[in-house]
Amino acid sequence: MLYWQLPMKELHDLGLVHAGDVESFYPRVRDRADIAVLRDKKTGVIFLNTTEHMDVSHYGALKGGSYWGGTDRRKALELYKEDDERRAAQFGALIKGKDFIDIGCGTGGLLDRIKDSAKSAAGVEPQNYAREELEKLGYPMYRLSTDVPSGSFDVAGLFHVFEHFTEPLKTLREAKDILRPGGAVVLEVPHARDVLLKLEAFRAFTLWSEHLILHTKDSLATYLEAAGFKDVRIEGFQRYPLSNHIGWLVDGSPGGQKRHTAFDTSTPAYAQLLQETDQTDTLIAFAIK
């Protein structure tokens, strides 16, 4: 069966996918009609029925800043400004005074924001344009995690990149090798239990050929522990406000945070409810080497 491919074989070997519990979750991804989405009924892990379409060369070949929604780095950074600023504030204390590497750093917005407080800031990015632009700015850059010297960083970040890996366990072990003893890794990933995944319109919009696995708290912890990390801690986090969810419920489309802003006074209570019921759109994991 197709799901014995990596990373689906890993999911099976780690006890996160069971042959008798796999069900169809959605008949296709948004950008390809020939790829279906599956889910394990017991664990809740969501995954594609094939990964043959994806490898690291896919990202290296992407042109300019278009992958991030802008024609160049400057315009792409504008679109991700909110997330970059939020991560710099949220993880700033962890990174301050440390040698930090952002694995899958994209156009480097987080590097720009923490470079003055970190001891050093570097990135891993297979996309040629982004990597070359960041090299021009003086950031030490690597194409792959395996290019990074062992034991050379204190903190590694993987922000919405882990779900893209065709060999996730191997890549986590590579990230661990990059760290010094006692070093920390922080991961941010889409959540397989996102409440919006109950909506047909949202499934059609968000399920994508590049997102090979959507994790639960248990599956993310299992991967980190299998890679040899300890003191694993995972939290639910809600990136999008209540107005975004109102947009999906009322209009069946994204961008509700621009159309229904009056609802956002209730966002903190709503986000707390989603955290308590394990239905946030994002998971954040911390672990120590």
Side-chain angles (χ1 to χ4, degrees):
M1 297 176 69
L2 284 174
Y3 68 81
W4 300 127
Q5 299 171 334
L6 278 170
M8 283 66 104
K9 185 179 185 301
E10 283 186 359
L11 290 170
H12 172 265
D13 293 345
L14 292 170
L16 298 170
V17 165
H18 311 85
D21 295 316
V22 174
E23 63 180 356
S24 174
F25 186 69
Y26 205 67
R28 61 166 295 168
V29 291
R30 70 188 187 202
D31 54 329
R32 290 187 59 157
D34 61 335
I35 298 175
V37 186
L38 306 175
R39 178 172 63 179
D40 186 278
K41 290 183 287 187
K42 286 187 177 178
T43 68
V45 174
I46 294 170
F47 57 100
L48 303 188
N49 71 337
T50 181
T51 60
E52 289 184 335
H53 60 289
M54 194 56 59
D55 62 35
V56 71
S57 64
H58 164 80
Y59 299 100
L62 297 169
K63 303 298 182 184
S66 60
Y67 181 71
W68 293 277
T71 54
D72 56 24
R73 180 177 188 261
R74 180 183 61 81
K75 292 180 180 178
L77 285 174
E78 292 173 4
L79 297 172
Y80 289 88
K81 178 180 178 181
E82 187 174 335
D83 267 334
D84 289 333
E85 289 180 343
R86 186 260 303 170
R87 289 176 187 135
Q90 196 169 7
F91 309 119
L94 179 67
I95 296 169
K96 185 176 181 180
K98 305 292 180 58
D99 290 315
F100 171 72
I101 188 163
D102 191 355
I103 299 174
C105 65
T107 50
L110 179 58
L111 298 178
D112 288 347
R113 285 164 175 78
I114 59 87
K115 65 182 180 181
D116 293 332
S117 60
K119 183 178 179 182
S120 69
V124 174
E125 179 50 57
Q127 204 247 16
N128 295 327
Y129 167 78
R131 188 176 65 256
E132 290 164 3
E133 289 295 299
L134 290 168
E135 286 173 342
K136 292 175 186 176
L137 295 173
Y139 292 111
M141 293 296 300
Y142 306 89
R143 191 177 77 87
L144 300 172
S145 297
T146 50
D147 299 331
V148 185
S150 297
S152 52
F153 289 91
D154 302 305
V155 181
L158 295 93
F159 300 107
H160 286 265
V161 296
F162 186 56
E163 63 274 15
H164 293 256
F165 295 145
T166 57
E167 297 181 273
L169 186 56
K170 176 176 177 287
T171 308
L172 272 186
R173 287 171 174 160
E174 291 167 0
K176 180 171 173 280
D177 182 64
I178 288 169
L179 294 173
R180 299 182 178 116
V185 64
V186 55
L187 285 81
E188 186 175 302
V189 299
H191 190 188
R193 301 192 190 278
D194 182 348
V195 68
L196 287 184
L197 284 168
K198 297 176 181 179
L199 300 180
E200 165 80 16
F202 185 73
R203 292 190 195 191
F205 170 82
T206 199
L207 297 170
W208 185 26
S209 67
E210 291 191 12
H211 283 183
L212 308 181
I213 302 173
L214 298 184
H215 283 279
T216 64
K217 288 180 178 179
D218 287 343
S219 69
L220 195 53
T222 296
Y223 261 95
L224 284 162
E225 290 165 0
F229 285 98
K230 60 185 180 181
D231 299 332
V232 176
R233 177 166 56 94
I234 300 176
E235 304 170 351
F237 178 77
Q238 185 60 30
R239 289 172 74 202
Y240 287 95
L242 176 57
S243 55
N244 175 268
H245 285 204
I246 295 297
W248 281 106
L249 291 168
V250 174
D251 311 319
S253 63
Q257 63 270 36
K258 299 177 182 178
R259 302 189 301 272
H260 303 286
T261 55
F263 289 94
D264 285 342
T265 55
S266 300
T267 289
Y270 182 59
Q272 181 64 34
L273 174 64
L274 293 176
Q275 288 174 337
E276 292 172 355
T277 57
D278 194 28
Q279 297 184 98
T280 57
D281 55 23
T282 301
L283 295 176
I284 297 176
F286 304 87
I288 302 298
K289 178 174 178 176

